[in-house]
């Protein structure tokens, strides 16, 4: 912004990015208590250089936060092999992939299909894994050689020759809701 100001260029693209950054701070969840979670005050201070006073910056903060709170991910599985049991879904980011999910939901199966909605998803990169818990034991069952006995799938519907990875399943959430389909 300093260079743009020095050369009398328009600051609005920088200001727009700063406004969007505030929402990221509001929705950020540190991986542990030792991970940094500071910086919003600095962004609001720089935003004042865009001609915003404290009240205007708070309005922008509220507006962007409301926009993020409206982001919904709808996940559909259209090809479940039976209506027995439930489908279990887990939302991950790169740091939590295949560990503790950021959000988890259970869906009932009707006529071989199920769907869920994940609300208030912050912008970022995520992956979703789901499986058909046909016997309701709250676990994906495996046979003796380590292969899953129950159907499962993940975002982007990749064909795998080994365990899933975040990079294969990742998708990006921006400032609009998404509809995703996972096929078994």
């Amino acid at each position: 912004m300093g260079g743009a100001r020095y050369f009398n260029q328009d600051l609005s693209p920088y200001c727009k990015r700063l406004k969007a950054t505030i929402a990221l701070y509001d929705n950020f969840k540190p991986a542990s208590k030792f991970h940094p979670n500071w910086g919003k005050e600095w962004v609001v201070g720089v935003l004042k250089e865009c001609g915003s006073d404290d009240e205007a910056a708070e309005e922008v903060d509220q507006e962007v936060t409301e926009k993020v709170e409206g982001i919904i991910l709808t996940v559909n599985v259209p090809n479940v092999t039976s209506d027995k049991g439930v489908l279990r879904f887990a939302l991950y980011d790169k740091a939590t992939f295949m560990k503790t999910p950021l959000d988890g939901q259970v869906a009932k199966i009707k006529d071989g299909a199920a769907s869920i909605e994940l609300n208030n998803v912050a912008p970022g990169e995520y992956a979703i894994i789901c499986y058909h818990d046909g016997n309701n034991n709250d676990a994906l069952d495996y046979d003796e050689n380590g292969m899953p006995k129950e159907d499962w799938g993940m975002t982007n519907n990749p064909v795998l020759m080994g365990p899933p990875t975040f990079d294969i399943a990742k998708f990006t959430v921006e400032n609009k809701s998404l509809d995703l389909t996972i096929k078994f």
Side-chain angles (χ1 to χ4, degrees):
M1 281 180 64
R5 184 178 298 110
Y6 180 79
F7 290 106
N8 292 321
Q9 294 176 338
D10 182 23
L11 297 180
S12 61
Y14 301 101
C15 297
K16 183 178 178 182
R17 289 174 74 190
L18 286 171
K19 291 173 186 177
T21 301
I22 291 173
L24 296 175
Y25 278 105
D26 289 341
N27 293 296
F28 176 72
K29 294 176 188 153
S32 76
K33 64 182 179 179
F34 301 107
H35 284 79
N37 63 350
W38 48 266
K40 180 179 175 185
E41 302 80 20
W42 181 82
V43 173
V44 170
V46 174
L47 189 58
K48 289 179 188 177
E49 294 179 29
C50 293
S52 301
D53 57 11
D54 285 335
E55 191 173 308
E58 285 180 30
E59 284 178 28
V60 166
D61 185 18
Q62 181 64 30
E63 175 186 313
V64 172
T65 301
E66 285 174 5
K67 195 177 216 183
V68 169
E69 286 177 358
I71 297 176
I72 299 171
L73 295 180
T74 303
V75 186
N76 301 296
V77 179
N79 63 335
V80 184
T81 54
S82 92
D83 286 359
K84 285 188 197 175
V86 294
L87 287 189
R88 298 189 186 276
F89 294 82
L91 174 71
Y92 299 100
D93 62 10
K94 188 167 186 133
T96 62
F97 189 70
M98 299 291 288
K99 297 173 188 161
T100 303
L102 300 170
D103 192 358
Q105 289 195 19
V106 177
K108 292 183 179 181
I109 306 161
K110 184 174 181 186
D111 299 327
S115 66
I116 61 160
E117 281 189 357
L118 299 164
N119 297 306
N120 302 325
V121 179
E125 289 187 330
Y126 300 97
I128 297 174
I129 295 178
C130 70
Y131 69 94
H132 181 194
D133 189 2
N135 57 6
N136 274 321
N137 68 347
D138 206 15
L140 178 61
D141 298 326
Y142 296 90
D143 60 21
E144 301 81 40
N145 66 0
M147 296 298 291
K149 290 167 63 174
E150 297 174 306
D151 292 331
W152 70 279
M154 58 200 283
T155 43
N156 299 328
N157 301 304
V159 176
L160 297 176
M161 297 302 230
T165 65
F166 180 78
D167 289 332
I168 291 172
K170 73 180 177 183
F171 61 93
T172 303
V173 173
E174 293 177 341
N175 287 326
K176 61 181 181 177
S177 297
L178 290 174
D179 287 333
L180 304 167
T181 300
I182 297 176
K183 294 182 180 176
F184 291 154

